Amino acid sequence: MRILIVNVNTTASMTETIRAQAAAYASPGVEIVGLTPSFGPESVEGNFESYLAAVAVMDRVVRYAEPYDAVIQAGYGEHGREGLQELLDVPVVDITEAAAQVAMLIGRTYSVVTTLDRAVPQIEDRLRLAGLADRCASIRASGLSVLELEEDPGRAVDAIVAEAWKAVVDDRAEVICLGCGGMASLGREITAATGVPVVDGVAAAVALAEGLVRLGLTTSKVRTYATPRPKTVTGWPIDNGGVV
């Protein structure tokens, strides 16, 4: 089995961190391939960058030439999952939804701890759109940018743990979801510090993607995520031009 995990930003070192975390949770014999978009922002922290990243992620995936069995979109609260589901015949798993789905299996309520406060409304919207918002106790911002997570992991853990404690004590959350793909390597430290289950969306997405493949299930094409109608799409894929 081969699973593609696509970073939504163009920072290659973060792609490798995400890929390594995914590989650590993959079953024996499952190959994890990390992909970095060929264009877009170095970090995604707002709607403009998120929509741009959505196009970049779709472009990168459709230009991957080797066979694969599933795709993971490794951006928390980002746009584009629906487009990938239309384009592809394999399962597509988004880390935002994967984290929430798993959290709801192990607790009544969950909270998300993310990066900057400006990401909070976007995550709220994505969870609401996915039908996962009712059991979300809160979404809290650590105050760190995406790139700061990689630059200073110790500071990142401290900031995330502080907000996670507030979520547990003040918001009555029973599970914490890490609200950024760049937090993928920090889950064990945060679990140890808080004593509550901490769900990393990357790890959750790997488990769900593998499960879907083994069950022989993929996206329904009967309506919402039907394959795009054949037509000329000027300049698509981005590097080649062509027809979908």
Side-chain angles (χ1 to χ4, degrees):
M1 186 189 303
R2 177 182 289 159
I3 298 175
L4 307 184
I5 187 160
V6 194
N7 185 7
V8 297
N9 66 49
T10 57
T11 300
S13 59
M14 193 167 291
T15 302
E16 176 53 26
T17 297
I18 291 168
R19 186 210 63 78
Q21 176 73 353
Y25 284 91
S27 300
V30 175
E31 179 186 5
I32 304 293
V33 177
L35 299 181
T36 304
S38 61
F39 64 93
E42 63 180 350
S43 63
V44 181
E45 294 164 324
N47 283 288
F48 161 67
E49 293 167 353
S50 181
Y51 280 112
L52 183 60
V55 178
V57 164
M58 289 187 285
D59 172 71
R60 184 66 186 90
V61 171
V62 299
R63 290 191 293 106
Y64 183 79
E66 301 299 320
Y68 55 91
D69 301 288
V71 173
I72 295 170
Q73 178 174 292
Y76 211 96
E78 309 306 339
H79 302 88
R81 182 264 298 165
E82 299 91 340
L84 282 172
Q85 287 183 297
E86 288 187 8
L87 288 171
L88 305 179
D89 293 323
V90 301
V92 176
V93 181
D94 171 73
I95 66 169
T96 315
E97 298 171 21
Q101 296 277 13
V102 169
M104 292 191 299
L105 294 174
I106 56 176
R108 181 176 178 273
T109 58
Y110 69 92
S111 284
V112 177
V113 180
T114 189
T115 52
L116 301 176
D117 183 66
R118 66 176 297 160
V120 171
Q122 192 170 313
I123 294 171
E124 288 176 346
D125 289 347
R126 296 304 295 174
L127 291 174
R128 188 174 296 111
L129 182 65
L132 300 169
D134 285 351
R135 287 166 62 185
C136 181
S138 62
I139 302 172
R140 288 183 166 271
S142 67
L144 298 177
S145 69
V146 172
L147 296 181
E148 284 178 310
L149 298 173
E150 191 171 48
E151 292 165 1
D152 193 345
R155 181 184 171 211
V157 169
D158 290 344
I160 295 164
V161 166
E163 293 304 320
W165 267 119
K166 293 175 187 175
V168 172
V169 174
D170 298 339
D171 307 329
R172 312 296 289 175
E174 298 177 3
V175 182
I176 299 297
C177 294
L178 300 180
C180 177
M183 296 177 180
S185 63
L186 307 178
R188 287 183 176 143
E189 293 177 77
I190 296 164
T191 299
T194 61
V196 300
V198 175
V199 180
D200 162 36
V202 171
V206 170
L208 293 179
E210 284 190 22
L212 289 170
V213 173
R214 291 197 171 96
L215 289 169
L217 297 173
T218 190
T219 306
S220 172
K221 294 290 185 176
V222 298
R223 191 181 186 192
T224 305
Y225 304 118
T227 302
R229 296 180 61 207
K231 66 182 72 172
T232 299
V233 181
T234 304
W236 178 264
I238 301 298
D239 284 358
N240 304 317
V243 177
V244 175

